[in-house]
Amino acid sequence: MTNAALHVARTGLDAQNSRMQVIANNLANVNTTGFKRDRANFESLDYQQITAPGAPSSDANKYATGLNLGTGVKIMATSRIDTQGSLQTTDRSLDLAISGQGFFQVTKPDGTAAYTRDGSFSTNADGTVVTSDGLPLQPQIQIPANATNVTIATDGTVSAALQGQSNTTTLGKIQTVRFQNASGLQAESGDLLIETAASGAPQVGDAGTDGRGTITQGSLEASNVDITQELVDMIETQRAYEVNSKVIKGTDEMLQTANQQL
Amino acid sequence: MDRLIYSSLAAMRGAMGRQATIANNLANVNTSGFRGEIANAQSLWIRGQELNGRATVSDEVKGADMSKGTAAQTGRDLDVSLNGDAMLTVQAADGSEAYTRRGDLQQTNSGLLTTGDGSIVMGENGPITLPAADTVSITADGTIYIVPQGGDPQAPQQVDKLKLVSPGGSTIAKGLDGLFRNTAGGTLPSDPDARVSSRSLEGSNVSASSALVDMIDTSRAWDSQIKMLTTAQELDKSSADLMQLPQ
């Protein structure tokens, strides 16, 4: 009881520290293709009831109000803010951006699926379309070595002109995936997101259908981190950290006075 | 012998409780929709046989400061800030109906709408579940519209309406889970005039500067009680000296 204030202020320092980490990660990813900023959500911890309202204060009287002491704060969750990042034209034929909701589906080395908005694709030695980390796009698209002028339509249809042939050939279709609760996806390294119980099952389909966004060829989606917003959040976090450390100092001084003078 | 030191002890306990309340307010300076607590001290007279000779202090948290926090634009479709004294209705973990100013709404995997701290948001027809949707928007009166998956963006469909309440004449108090309830028991009726602003979020209403001033005030009150205790100690000592027989 005597040092409750110290512990409460410590929860404040911890929470602000975690928020700073979220902000630092957002700022670190300001140039990461397809990155979505996170926001830290605070939640106050449960209250401790010292005196219940209505409890007897004497034989005849009752406390009109209770004494409920709060026990601090914690970071409950981070929410990914899924607003669209701006599209930047690159003129590379395998740079793809999704306008609207949805993700590209890729296969990880262990065979499981992962999802990403980072559309900087390339081809590997056998012509398979892969991410910059070498993960193949799902369903797989093969681009033959003699293909020229690869075009990708807004619905994901990949076509190319093959040398020696007069007509363009369709090579496959890139499908996109959406989720009931995309903010429930778990972030992994390499700009990948994976399905969780909170995100719901992936709904695979053609780009531009059922609310899936359309594909823009020759563009990349920039990170949606807004530096000004992050800097303002950072100052707010710093100030909150400062006041919580002042509480610790203040409470310590109270205890110090008691220890020295009594 | 005078029980001065017990009065001081009660005051010091009160000051430490107040300090804990201030610490909790400041810890929640960034909690969305948080309402700071007001610590209040009242004197408690101890009835003597002949006269009311001694007052001690009973410290209590009087209630929450219901002033508004600053709302900021977030751009997130499911963030709402409440105008005036309107509150969102939620289902607390114990199943009872409670109220909150926290408007960072989230969806679970089944589409159930909750607040950022996991309380289920109540609509006019009970808990709200959003179907798979391309876009979700919330109008000023709390009506939730969606464009269903693959639906016509020009023809949004109404899903439900947030149950918005205004305490009005009823007294509401914060419970141990940080949610507000009607102290008289029962639930508050929905208020058709209550308004929300979507894509914005209300911050905590804790003012760091006034909380710091309160903290200084509290620690000075603590110091003066210590002064009382040392004075009592000296008084005690001098009376003991008086009693001492000359050698």
Side-chain angles (χ1 to χ4, degrees):
Chain A
M1 170 66 204
T2 41
N3 50 14
L6 284 178
H7 288 284
V8 170
R10 185 187 59 82
T11 66
L13 291 183
D14 285 350
Q16 298 304 337
N17 208 13
S18 307
R19 185 183 187 200
M20 199 56 133
Q21 195 180 337
V22 173
I23 294 171
N25 186 55
N26 286 344
L27 282 173
N29 283 291
V30 73
N31 283 331
T32 307
T33 307
F35 179 83
K36 301 290 174 205
R37 67 180 289 258
D38 285 312
R39 181 179 76 194
N41 294 333
F42 291 84
E43 181 198 343
S44 48
L45 295 172
D46 272 357
Y47 284 74
Q48 202 181 12
Q49 193 164 58
I50 311 293
T51 313
S57 60
S58 69
D59 283 350
N61 300 318
K62 286 188 169 76
Y63 288 110
T65 49
L67 171 56
N68 292 340
L69 293 182
T71 55
V73 71
K74 71 171 177 191
I75 293 237
M76 167 78 181
T78 53
S79 6
R80 202 172 25 258
I81 309 295
D82 278 326
T83 54
Q84 176 82 37
S86 56
L87 297 193
Q88 293 174 340
T89 313
T90 63
D91 293 332
R92 232 184 114 252
S93 63
L94 286 180
D95 277 345
L96 306 178
I98 297 177
S99 314
Q101 293 180 48
F103 300 91
F104 295 109
Q105 183 171 231
V106 299
T107 311
K108 290 201 290 179
D110 62 3
T112 58
Y115 308 92
T116 183
R117 298 269 300 186
D118 178 357
S120 47
F121 294 106
S122 319
T123 50
N124 66 9
D126 25 286
T128 311
V129 176
V130 294
T131 66
S132 41
D133 286 338
L135 306 180
L137 194 62
Q138 179 66 33
Q140 286 199 7
I141 308 280
Q142 300 282 340
I143 296 186
N146 61 348
T148 53
N149 282 337
V150 177
T151 53
I152 296 161
T154 52
D155 67 349
T157 309
V158 185
S159 47
L162 300 182
Q163 277 171 7
Q165 289 182 16
S166 51
N167 293 337
T168 55
T169 310
T170 305
L171 300 172
K173 201 165 199 189
I174 295 171
Q175 292 195 304
T176 56
V177 177
R178 54 164 296 169
F179 293 87
Q180 165 73 18
N181 176 23
S183 32
L185 292 167
Q186 168 74 41
E188 276 197 354
S189 60
D191 301 332
L192 298 180
L193 298 164
I194 54 170
E195 182 193 341
T196 65
S199 66
Q203 300 155 9
V204 188
D206 291 344
T209 63
D210 291 345
R212 279 175 282 265
T214 55
I215 293 177
T216 310
Q217 188 186 19
S219 292
L220 288 176
E221 183 186 4
S223 154
N224 72 346
V225 174
D226 171 4
I227 296 183
T228 328
Q229 167 85 51
E230 299 300 330
L231 290 178
V232 169
D233 286 356
M234 196 165 86
I235 294 169
E236 195 178 70
T237 309
Q238 259 173 314
R239 289 285 169 254
Y241 194 89
E242 202 174 308
V243 291
N244 278 286
S245 62
K246 281 214 161 68
V247 175
I248 292 190
K249 188 161 171 274
T251 311
D252 180 46
E253 276 166 8
M254 284 164 74
L255 295 172
Q256 196 183 359
T257 321
N259 275 332
Q260 286 174 354
Q261 309 225 339
L262 293 181
Chain B
M1 176 58 209
D2 193 89
R3 292 299 178 113
L4 165 68
I5 56 169
Y6 288 99
S7 297
S8 287
L9 178 67
M12 285 172 78
R13 234 182 231 150
M16 212 26 119
R18 195 173 164 202
Q19 181 83 353
T21 305
I22 296 168
N24 187 53
N25 285 346
L26 284 174
N28 283 289
V29 76
N30 281 335
T31 307
S32 174
F34 182 80
R35 291 286 172 269
E37 271 103 45
I38 308 165
N40 178 43
Q42 71 174 38
S43 47
L44 198 67
W45 288 95
I46 295 174
R47 310 271 162 200
Q49 279 169 331
E50 309 253 311
L51 78 170
N52 292 338
R54 182 64 54 226
T56 177
V57 166
S58 138
D59 229 85
E60 56 188 26
V61 177
K62 192 181 175 195
D65 168 16
M66 296 308 286
S67 62
K68 268 181 78 96
T70 319
Q73 294 292 323
T74 63
R76 194 173 156 271
D77 290 334
L78 284 177
D79 284 341
V80 288
S81 60
L82 295 130
N83 301 353
D85 61 353
M87 297 186 106
L88 277 179
T89 308
V90 296
Q91 194 176 52
D94 61 3
S96 64
E97 187 170 300
Y99 310 99
T100 182
R101 292 281 296 187
R102 155 164 219 155
D104 54 338
L105 308 184
Q106 316 275 340
Q107 276 187 79
T108 66
N109 58 334
S110 59
L112 185 71
L113 211 57
T114 66
T115 60
D117 57 6
S119 313
I120 298 165
V121 176
M122 301 295 277
E124 296 288 357
N125 308 310
I128 303 170
T129 304
L130 296 184
D134 290 355
T135 57
V136 181
S137 55
I138 300 174
T139 60
D141 63 352
T143 314
I144 305 171
Y145 284 99
I146 61 154
V147 174
Q149 248 184 22
D152 178 6
Q154 304 302 322
Q157 295 176 9
Q158 182 177 344
V159 180
D160 203 340
K161 190 166 180 279
L162 295 169
K163 186 184 172 191
L164 302 173
V165 300
S166 301
S170 315
T171 320
I172 53 167
K174 203 192 267 191
L176 298 185
D177 50 7
L179 297 172
F180 288 88
R181 286 183 180 73
N182 189 359
T183 46
T187 59
L188 296 175
S190 60
D191 177 6
D193 297 329
R195 290 288 176 267
V196 300
S197 306
S198 67
R199 295 186 192 87
S200 74
L201 207 53
E202 182 182 350
S204 164
N205 73 343
V206 174
S207 148
S209 48
S210 63
L212 287 174
V213 170
D214 283 350
M215 197 176 83
I216 294 169
D217 195 30
T218 307
S219 63
R220 289 290 163 255
W222 169 272
D223 289 351
S224 8
Q225 292 307 323
I226 288 176
K227 186 85 187 154
M228 295 298 280
L229 287 183
T230 47
T231 313
Q233 207 174 13
E234 278 160 23
L235 283 174
D236 229 13
K237 192 161 170 283
S238 41
S239 60
D241 284 349
L242 268 178
M243 302 286 203
Q244 228 165 32
L245 291 171
Q247 306 233 320

